[in-house]
Amino acid sequence: MDTFLQQLNDSQREAVLYNEGPCLVIAGAGSGKTRVLTYKIAYLLKQGILPYHILALTFTNKAAREMKSRIAAIVDEYAARNLWMGTFHSVFARILRREADRFGYQSDFTIYDAQDSQNLIKSIIKGKALDDKVYKPSIVQSRISQVKNALITPDIYAKDAELIDSDRYYKRDKICEIYAAYWQRCRASGVLDFDDLLLYTYLLFNENPDILSRYRNLFHFVLVDEYQDTNSVQHEIVGLLAAEHHRVCVVGDDAQSIYSFRGANIGNILNFQKTYPESKLFKLEQNYRSTQNIVNAANSLIKNNKEQISKTVFSENETGEKIRVVGAYSDYEEGYNVAGLIAEMRMHRQYDYRDFAVLYRINAQSRIFEEALRKQNIPYRIYGGLSFYQRKEVKDVIAYMRLVVNPSDEEAFKRIVNCPARGIGDTTVGKIISAAGLHGVSLWTVIARPLEYQLDIRAGTAAKLENFRLMIEEFISDNATQNAHELGVEIIRRTGLSGELYNDQTPEGVSRVQNIEELVNSLYLFVTSRLEEGRTDYKTGDFLAEVSLLTDQDMDKEEETGRVSMMTVHAAKGLEFKNVFVVGLEEDLFPTERSKHSPQAVEEERRLFYVAITRAKENVTLSYAKNRFLHGRSTVCTPSRFIKDIDENFLRLPGDAVSESNLYLNPRKLSLLEEEKTVSVHQSIGNLSIGNAVLHERFGKGIITELTGEKENAKATVDFERFGKKQMLLKFARFEVIK
């Protein structure tokens, strides 16, 4: 036996050695899936199969590079280099360049990225004089992508009554025309987009039997990684290439199929054995990553799904700690819980910051955790995304606020003078900049007195600039009497930013809306917390001063001790960490509200939760809030059904062993609280007395230790269990007496 095969366990070795026909390798989380695929290719090469007879398809360039590197170390550099290995898009682009003349293209065709594609669609919409608020380019682009991945060309689209009726329902009945024009413009320009690389490959094979035969004869073995993530086009192309020799091996985990919003079809892997009745099934069930307790908990969770290939993942690692469940009174408190636990675990268990990951369902959740980590001086990074206040839609609103506070802010002016689009283009902005530079004044000064500064623009453009200026002037006037929250809401409403975003129902559009709503929540909490404390620094300028601290660059500097990773669960797939916090585990958030009416969608959400848990090597903490600020108000939340799906034997629930409410309190603190609860009542204001226990919607439980002032200036000092003492103005205080 080759030495490298001895590095495999029995299940892995069996999967590697079988190459007589179709096979499905179901690989549980952390079970060595990539190793099996790599060693299978190395084994085939060792058996004398020429490298160019092997087609290996991956989903990331990184995965392809790593596999080639490992194969080169086992076999040799030449063999690795000559494999047909890469992402679906890169391999198919290579084939399409070879065969370009067969579908009417030159071999040097160019490839549009998403922005190029959207710009062309925008041009077509404008050329057809369509309303770009109805035919938003991103929405049209998403629709075209969906139909391409369903193997639908413009001709087929035009004859599909169901598609046409759907477009009419959403009052976008011209999408078919836009798609046809887009298709023709791309062909005339010698361009393919990313979806075309898949669609044209399918059409090439399906419509040209001689070409299909040539590639079938070329590829003796077809191997596919992450098969659970394939869409209809990818599945069909693999089927065409393997239809005769059936030497196809697909590797994946149905329990980690989480990309339906990108077109992935879990049915491809679930039905593989029906597609190839003679196929052999191999299960990789030993998890090398996680503790036994984490693996058992994940198993108990995923067994609640009906659509799956049964397997029993196990671990021979140490038993490990139970999964900790932490309930917070509010989302604000949740952020501080997580930050406190990270600090505690790092101090007592000598973990590095890079050993921690905070995983959330939607990007907008990052804000509260960013602020909590910053206030505890814990370095972090947003993985696979931007810091909350760096996201475009958030920065757009912030830019309006900056211009209101400081009309001479040139960068803010340039960012929002045509956002949303109001017909003030780059040429006009360039003229404003030139005039300002010539006279040494700000851009705002130029548009306030365009004639004085000889601004060379047409009357129509001048009117648009004047309307913009008047709107900002009104905001400036409002700012004198409004707080930061009131002005922020007014800006979002009056500028049209909210309308533009709410019309976009793509996953990206929904995420942007959620970010705007989270910004409103942030403004609301900023103002109410200061009013409660009797402070007067709750205006827009005060908010901007605080935001500037959250967006400075000191956290981007690589530190020796690393940084906590923060990301969505989708972005975490394929990664691993010693300690994982899964946060926001509430109904309508995880699982999402949109999923709960579809059993299939709920099962995908459960698979997503499974992915989150199985990222952890040593410790998992599940966190939820009983109250969360949503849509500008505090909403009562219910813990996610997924927590209940996990066998309680693998959980440490609130109240078990060490009460979660006491995690951050030292013994001295506890004794002080007990003493304060026994203090005699000597001073009261209204229905409040010293010693009363109260419940605050953000800070949770606390004890009133002091009551001072009269009438409008009456204040209460409350010692909160997790946040210490805070003085609050009673007329704005947001707490209730609980005993």
Side-chain angles (χ1 to χ4, degrees), residues 594-735:
R594 290 188 298 164
S595 71
K596 60 196 249 184
H597 302 297
S598 164
Q600 291 78 18
V602 170
E603 291 211 349
E604 176 154 338
E605 291 284 301
R606 187 178 286 110
R607 292 194 294 269
L608 188 61
F609 185 38
Y610 175 86
V611 167
I613 291 174
T614 55
R615 297 311 91 200
K617 295 180 180 181
E618 298 177 11
N619 296 289
V620 176
T621 300
L622 309 180
S623 174
Y624 64 89
K626 298 175 184 176
N627 296 276
R628 184 172 295 277
F629 270 88
L630 296 170
H631 314 299
R633 64 181 185 275
S634 183
T635 303
V636 176
C637 303
T638 304
S640 171
R641 69 189 74 182
F642 296 153
I643 297 176
K644 298 176 184 176
D645 285 344
I646 300 174
D647 189 325
E648 282 192 15
N649 290 317
F650 309 121
L651 297 177
R652 192 174 106 196
L653 296 167
D656 290 354
V658 179
S659 172
E660 298 296 344
S661 65
N662 297 333
L663 279 172
Y664 317 114
L665 301 180
N666 59 39
R668 182 175 178 276
K669 177 70 173 176
L670 283 171
S671 65
L672 284 173
L673 284 176
E674 289 163 0
E675 290 169 12
E676 287 163 0
K677 290 178 185 178
T678 61
V679 172
S680 299
V681 177
H682 293 301
Q683 186 177 353
S684 301
I685 297 180
N687 66 335
L688 298 178
S689 300
I690 293 175
N692 280 160
V694 298
L695 191 62
H696 189 276
E697 67 177 23
R698 282 187 296 130
F699 302 129
K701 293 179 181 178
I703 303 296
I704 296 177
T705 62
E706 188 176 31
L707 292 166
T708 59
E710 303 294 333
K711 297 181 180 178
E712 291 291 302
N713 295 316
K715 296 178 182 178
T717 299
V718 182
D719 197 343
F720 291 101
E721 290 180 350
R722 302 190 190 181
F723 297 97
K725 288 187 177 182
K726 291 186 179 293
Q727 190 175 69
M728 298 181 171
L729 207 60
L730 288 181
K731 67 177 180 178
F732 292 119
R734 305 175 70 81
F735 59 65

Side-chain angles (χ1 to χ4, degrees), residues 22-26 273 279-283 309-310:
C23 70
L24 169 62
V25 181
I26 292 296
Q273 292 174 283
S279 63
K280 290 198 67 173
L281 173 65
F282 298 91
K283 296 181 181 180
I309 298 170
S310 65

Side-chain angles (χ1 to χ4, degrees), residues 318-341:
E318 63 181 16
T319 303
E321 295 185 14
K322 291 185 176 183
I323 289 177
R324 176 165 42 194
V325 180
V326 179
Y329 186 74
S330 67
D331 49 355
Y332 183 81
E333 183 179 84
E334 182 185 32
Y336 279 81
N337 283 353
V338 170
L341 276 168

Side-chain angles (χ1 to χ4, degrees), residues 88-336:
F88 282 88
H89 292 89
S90 65
V91 170
F92 293 168
R94 182 179 172 188
I95 292 173
L96 290 175
R97 291 197 189 282
R98 283 187 168 194
E99 315 295 343
D101 61 313
R102 297 294 288 266
F103 56 93
Y105 272 73
Q106 298 294 318
S107 61
D108 60 351
F109 62 79
T110 54
I111 300 171
Y112 270 175
D113 64 17
Q115 191 58 56
D116 295 325
S117 170
Q118 195 170 126
N119 288 342
L120 176 55
I121 290 170
K122 186 175 182 180
S123 172
I124 292 169
I125 291 169
K126 184 177 181 180
K128 290 181 174 292
L130 297 171
D131 185 348
D132 62 5
K133 291 184 175 61
V134 176
Y135 292 92
K136 189 171 174 59
S138 60
I139 295 176
V140 177
Q141 181 186 37
S142 177
R143 179 66 159 175
I144 291 174
S145 177
Q146 289 171 1
V147 297
K148 283 186 177 181
N149 286 323
L151 303 173
I152 297 172
T153 63
D155 290 341
I156 297 173
Y157 195 120
K159 298 172 185 175
D160 192 312
E162 188 174 339
L163 288 173
I164 300 300
D165 287 344
S166 174
D167 288 343
R168 287 199 185 110
Y169 177 82
Y170 288 104
K171 298 180 180 178
R172 301 190 189 106
D173 56 313
K174 300 295 184 183
I175 284 185
C176 182
E177 290 182 23
I178 298 171
Y179 181 21
Y182 176 77
W183 182 277
Q184 291 304 322
R185 292 271 287 271
C186 284
R187 291 191 67 87
S189 302
V191 164
L192 297 179
D193 63 23
F194 268 63
D195 296 315
D196 288 332
L197 296 176
L198 304 181
L199 178 55
Y200 271 91
T201 301
Y202 171 80
L203 295 174
L204 176 71
F205 289 155
N206 195 52
E207 297 173 1
N208 299 276
D210 59 323
I211 293 179
L212 176 58
S213 178
R214 191 191 323 147
Y215 283 94
R216 280 177 176 169
N217 292 329
L218 176 64
F219 301 136
H220 297 183
F221 295 88
V222 178
L223 301 97
V224 186
D225 192 16
E226 304 284 9
Y227 200 67
Q228 77 280 350
D229 293 335
T230 54
N231 61 23
S232 298
V233 190
Q234 292 160 331
H235 174 72
E236 290 296 329
I237 294 172
V238 170
L240 287 172
L241 289 172
E244 287 188 7
H245 57 67
H246 281 205
R247 287 188 293 271
V248 55
C249 173
V250 302
V251 181
D253 183 4
D254 55 293
Q256 297 187 65
S257 179
I258 58 173
Y259 292 117
S260 66
F261 67 94
R262 294 181 186 169
N265 182 0
I266 191 175
N268 294 344
I269 195 167
L270 293 178
N271 298 321
F272 184 86
Q273 292 174 283
K274 293 180 181 177
T275 305
Y276 301 95
E278 76 279 28
S279 63
K280 290 198 67 173
L281 173 65
F282 298 91
K283 296 181 181 180
L284 308 183
E285 297 175 303
Q286 182 170 357
N287 179 300
Y288 291 93
R289 175 188 301 150
S290 309
T291 63
Q292 293 178 29
N293 203 79
I294 292 172
V295 169
N296 292 337
N299 285 343
S300 69
L301 166 76
I302 204 64
K303 75 177 184 181
N304 290 279
N305 273 12
K306 294 181 180 178
E307 284 193 326
Q308 62 175 298
I309 298 170
S310 65
K311 59 182 175 297
T312 304
V313 181
F314 67 95
S315 171
E316 293 183 353
N317 296 337
E318 63 181 16
T319 303
E321 295 185 14
K322 291 185 176 183
I323 289 177
R324 176 165 42 194
V325 180
V326 179
Y329 186 74
S330 67
D331 49 355
Y332 183 81
E333 183 179 84
E334 182 185 32
Y336 279 81

